[in-house]
Amino acid sequence: QPCWNEYLTTRIEQNMVVNCTCPISECHAQPTAAFICSIVSSEEIIAKYEKALLRGYVECCSNLTWCTNPQGCDQILLKDGLGYGAACSKCSWISCFNCSFPEAHYPASCSHMSHMTCAKCNHGFCWRCLKPWRPTHKDYYNCSAMVSKAAWHEKRFQDYNERCTFHHHAREFAMNLRNRVSSISGLPKIRTLTFVLDACKVLEQARKVLAYSCVYSYYNQDTENMDIVEQQTESLELHTNAL
């Protein structure tokens, strides 16, 4: 039993317990959960084992996923029935279920979030697999572009990137403001501040849309359609700044 306890404890701590087998090389039997719980006495190790089982189960189910909140959230989400705009019931974070980007990024598409372009030579590649955008991807940008064109693309990228970064910082400001208002709203003799909290939430959402609108506008090549998008974006940014 001491040997089994040490073996299983090591496998659990190394996150290799889900598919572990008998240590005898000729034996491929897998220890059951009941057997592991009867051998391992440490409650902390058992808790890690139960988390490993849950993590393995979620990873095996294509319809389940973890909340992608970068601040940390252990909520399990069911993909079916969660359309765009549906938030985590625990932390209110809105995830994207179609790509590896940590949050919903409307109006930018998933391909926008993974398509990167070299500012020097204009070579397009996928951020996730690092392969050329063509032939495995779409909308490849010719890498043999002239220096002047490359410089123009670099300036254009910098402009959109600065706007996007600004809106992300402004969104963080709105989040911090909402947290500060929430902390004082519970104090005695403070009248209801619900309307301020609602305004902060609207401000957060507006800044998020504006940030990803920069990504969408940068990659969109439809000039006629972009005129309308830019007008709408400008109007949203005007009202957001006023708020």
Side-chain angles (χ1 to χ4, degrees):
Q1 182 168 335
C3 295
W4 267 106
N5 179 63
E6 183 177 352
Y7 170 69
L8 293 173
T9 298
T10 301
R11 300 288 290 194
I12 293 173
E13 290 181 336
Q14 294 177 349
N15 293 321
M16 300 172 61
V17 68
V18 175
N19 296 318
C20 78
T21 58
C22 175
I24 300 177
S25 58
E26 295 81 8
C27 181
H28 301 290
Q30 293 184 332
T32 64
F35 177 77
I36 293 176
C37 292
S38 66
I39 294 295
V40 180
S41 57
S42 171
E43 295 183 0
E44 181 180 355
I45 298 299
I46 290 297
K48 289 183 178 180
Y49 170 62
E50 292 175 345
K51 288 184 179 180
L53 286 181
L54 180 60
R55 184 169 57 251
Y57 176 75
V58 173
E59 292 175 354
C60 290
C61 295
S62 60
N63 197 34
L64 297 179
T65 186
W66 297 97
C67 174
T68 57
N69 191 335
Q71 300 299 322
C73 179
D74 58 358
Q75 186 77 345
I76 298 174
L77 305 178
L78 181 66
K79 294 182 181 179
D80 285 352
L82 282 180
Y84 175 78
C88 172
S89 60
K90 184 174 183 179
C91 69
S92 300
W93 185 260
I94 305 177
S95 304
C96 178
F97 299 134
N98 297 319
C99 69
S100 59
F101 199 74
E103 70 171 343
H105 41 73
Y106 180 85
S109 67
C110 293
S111 63
H112 289 156
M113 305 313 297
S114 59
H115 184 186
M116 306 299 292
T117 305
C118 176
K120 184 175 182 180
C121 67
N122 207 30
H123 168 67
F125 64 95
C126 179
W127 179 250
R128 286 184 284 174
C129 67
L130 300 182
K131 293 181 179 179
W133 202 248
R134 173 181 276 184
T136 54
H137 301 87
K138 299 179 179 179
D139 301 325
Y140 176 77
Y141 291 95
N142 190 354
C143 192
S144 60
M146 298 174 58
V147 176
S148 58
K149 185 177 181 181
W152 179 83
H153 276 287
E154 182 175 5
K155 178 62 169 63
R156 183 170 179 266
F157 171 79
Q158 290 177 348
D159 290 342
Y160 277 105
N161 184 58
E162 288 177 0
R163 288 170 55 189
C164 183
T165 302
F166 168 78
H167 289 304
H168 276 304
H169 287 329
R171 178 187 175 192
E172 292 178 0
F173 169 80
M175 294 171 65
N176 293 333
L177 180 61
R178 178 163 61 90
N179 292 333
R180 288 163 57 192
V181 173
S182 297
S183 65
I184 66 173
S185 62
L187 297 177
K189 297 182 180 180
I190 297 293
R191 64 179 181 177
T192 177
L193 297 175
T194 304
F195 71 99
V196 181
L197 294 174
D198 291 341
C200 290
K201 292 178 181 178
V202 173
L203 190 58
E204 290 175 39
Q205 182 64 23
R207 290 298 184 187
K208 177 181 177 182
V209 172
L210 286 170
Y212 291 123
S213 292
C214 295
V215 180
Y216 175 82
S217 298
Y218 176 74
Y219 286 110
N220 200 301
Q221 304 297 314
D222 187 350
T223 305
E224 182 177 353
N225 180 51
M226 281 310 302
D227 289 339
I228 301 176
V229 173
E230 291 290 352
Q231 290 176 7
Q232 293 177 336
T233 303
E234 184 178 351
S235 177
L236 176 59
E237 185 169 5
L238 181 65
H239 287 86
T240 302
N241 291 337
L243 179 61

